[in-house]
Amino acid sequence: MSFLRIILIAAAFIFIGILPVHAKDMIVKEPPKSLSKYYPPESKQSKWIQQMHKMSTHFGGVFVNLKEKDFENVDIHADKLVEEYKKTSEMVPEWEDYFDIKAAEAFAAAAKTHDIAQAGKASGKLGKTCGKCHAENEVSVWAKFHWPSFHKIKVTDPISEKEIEFDDYMGSISASFKGVTVNFGEGQYDRAAKALKIFKSRYMELKSTCSKCHATQDVKRFYVGQDADTAFAGLSQELDSEKPNPEKFWKNIGLLGKTGCKHCHLVHRTNSFIQEMWEK
Amino acid sequence: MKRSSRIFDLIIGVGLIGVAGFAMLYFLVNERFEWIPEQVLELARDPEILKRPAAKKCSECHKAIYEAWKDSRHSISWTSENFIEASENHTKEKCLPCHIPKSVRGEKPSPRLNLRDEGIYCVSCHFIDNKMQGPYDLLAPPHPTFRNPDYVRSKFCGSCHQKTFKEWKATNVEETCQDCHMPRKKGRLTQKAGFNLLHKKRWVGDHRFLHGEIKEKDVVMEAGWEENYFIISLKNQTIPHFVPTADNGDPRLYLYIKFFNEAGEEVDKAKEIIAPQQETALPYNKKIQYRYRLFDKVFKAEVELKYQPAWSKEKTTVRAETVRR
């Protein structure tokens, strides 16, 4: 059997074993409470994901070293994988049943034969235990522990200068946006111009809100950036003119919606909905 | 008579020897400490200091610096209520490197795992590459000390205050961060009895890391009327970085304008939020103009500029004036 075929077989076993995730398997349920102790604030570091990386590194280390015929390191990684796998199995009692220690030990034994085909075959059973847990819990864990929660964000409303919940703030932006569009639609341009000042102030406040999580200017500008500046300048120009041009007005409204609002909602809303279900 | 004279001579003699000894020691400690054999210094070393101790340990000698630091925002960078709230109970990873830095050395530091309540403490800035470092080469028997010129350069502060550092650099102003925020006074680095006399006075930076208050003279304001518009401009003319400035915090200037008709009734109002996170902070030495359309007949405008630091909800008035038409 050629070396390439062996590698391909091994790779197939790995991927079939580790990633048996099908749509029907996907479940989004809140992770068990005991997992919280492996994430901040209960833990100083994100210990759980670090543990996943350790196992993944040792699993990968076996195959990297088998390929390189560095058998001493194959054995080290195989032993370490079993050690970390056992340790992980004891971390979250509610998930104990996902683990199959015998499968991990069988994989380590197969790896120590230094036969890549045998290791690949043994990896299938072990990989399935990882894959099942990932299918059932990975989305939830990321949603709960890796995405900051919008529901914990407080925003200082630039108009009232009161600190309010993020969801309420979204409501107030939406209301001030309608103050602009409804008045414009009715031909009440002065009212629309006054409403625009309020809407712009609230919209621009989002730059501060984004900065509560996003540290880089480029990311913040992806949501509230040059397009928003252009749109607001265009809207002000139209509303300050003697005869506002509806086509230009609505084009700029569209620009705000398609860039700022849509960008943020597409990226953040799904996760926010999931968190909201758990938090209510 | 003879006996008392001898005693007097003895006292004078001992005194002179003492003064000479002290003078020699003073000279040795301050000017030629490299003459002291390393084996002798080893006897005075305190190994605990090289194990990244809490600030209290450093205060055993550096009491004045410790007390200044205790008064600083740096000492509560991890424990302040404002930070706990903003970091969602210490869970936001982006906050950790600069609020609990392991070693500050001119680039974004890594967060540390121990002594987090100490915030940005002595060891964060002075214990680098397992060596105690500072702006001076000097003799400090409990720990070897090495001079590092970075301590008087803005780049050092720019490790965390990266945005402010870039703003300052763009101004080409010579005064460094330390010149304004750590003004130096002649004093002793140690207050430990005996040692304080042996060490000569040096320029010591203020470890309260002064946060400059924004005063009326710092922000120039011009205002006027143009048909149905009120125009106002602000210029940061003294502070060589944006005002306000912050990498991640959210300090703000609020510009409030109230418009009144001839009868003294308020007919409209406007507000500007001047904040680094909204990219509206005032650059150095550049006039920023704001225009307000007037929808009613306006006789006068009352203008007030207020400042709110990142760690407080309180605002203080920077300047206030009335502009008549």
Side-chain angles (χ1 to χ4, degrees), chain B residues 147-159 165 168 176-179:
Chain B
R147 180 177 172 268
N148 180 342
D150 287 349
Y151 284 92
V152 292
R153 291 177 181 154
S154 294
K155 193 172 185 297
F156 190 82
C157 311
S159 309
F165 173 66
W168 166 81
T176 63
C177 305
Q178 292 89 337
D179 287 336

Side-chain angles (χ1 to χ4, degrees), chain B residues 216-222 233-237 319:
Chain B
E216 194 171 337
K217 67 172 176 53
D218 297 316
V219 183
V220 177
M221 192 171 91
E222 287 172 11
S233 71
L234 297 176
K235 188 170 89 170
N236 154 26
Q237 70 168 10
R319 63 185 309 153

Side-chain angles (χ1 to χ4, degrees), chain A residues 138-151:
Chain A
E138 204 171 15
V139 172
S140 318
V141 172
W142 276 83
K144 186 169 175 76
F145 294 106
H146 294 267
W147 277 83
S149 170
F150 273 94
H151 311 290

Side-chain angles (χ1 to χ4, degrees), chain B residues 128-148:
Chain B
I128 301 171
D129 297 332
N130 290 321
K131 289 192 296 192
M132 204 59 75
Q133 304 194 20
Y136 297 112
D137 254 333
L138 46 74
L139 177 75
H143 56 78
T145 307
F146 299 88
R147 180 177 172 268
N148 180 342

Side-chain angles (χ1 to χ4, degrees), chain A residues 40-41 44-45 158-159 161 163 190 194 204-205 207-208 211-213 217 220-221 239-240, chain B residues 89 91-92 94 113 116 163 229 250 252 256 269 271 273 277-279 293 295 313 315:
Chain A
K44 285 180 179 173
Q45 294 174 298
I159 307 305
E161 292 182 23
E163 205 170 55
D190 281 0
K194 283 185 179 179
M204 288 303 178
E205 178 64 33
K207 279 190 178 179
S208 287
S211 73
K212 289 173 191 280
C213 294
Q217 292 294 342
K220 282 191 267 178
R221 286 187 190 130
L239 291 173
D240 286 350
Chain B
N89 197 14
T91 60
K92 280 189 185 160
K94 76 158 188 168
L113 291 173
R116 288 182 160 189
K163 200 164 138 188
Y229 282 91
D250 197 8
R252 293 162 175 221
Y256 298 97
K269 60 185 174 185
K271 184 193 295 183
I273 295 174
Q277 302 308 341
Q278 298 192 27
E279 299 178 285
R293 184 176 159 197
F295 295 91
K313 309 252 190 282
K315 302 182 186 83

Side-chain angles (χ1 to χ4, degrees), chain A residues 29-98:
Chain A
K29 61 180 177 188
E30 191 170 8
K33 293 236 177 319
S34 60
L35 188 62
S36 303
K37 65 173 176 274
Y38 303 112
Y39 280 100
E42 287 185 44
S43 165
K44 285 180 179 173
Q45 294 174 298
S46 300
K47 289 279 183 195
W48 182 256
I49 191 79
Q50 286 176 1
Q51 196 60 22
M52 295 295 112
H53 289 155
K54 276 184 196 168
M55 290 196 293
S56 174
T57 300
H58 294 309
F59 188 79
V62 166
F63 287 100
V64 166
N65 286 295
L66 277 172
K67 191 180 158 190
E68 292 168 354
K69 298 192 188 305
D70 180 353
F71 299 127
E72 194 181 326
N73 276 319
V74 168
D75 295 357
I76 290 171
H77 280 292
D79 286 339
K80 284 276 182 194
L81 174 64
V82 175
E83 184 186 321
E84 296 299 342
Y85 189 86
K86 281 180 181 168
K87 188 176 163 191
T88 314
S89 73
E90 291 161 6
M91 288 170 77
V92 182
E94 295 90 334
W95 286 350
E96 195 185 4
D97 292 343
Y98 283 114

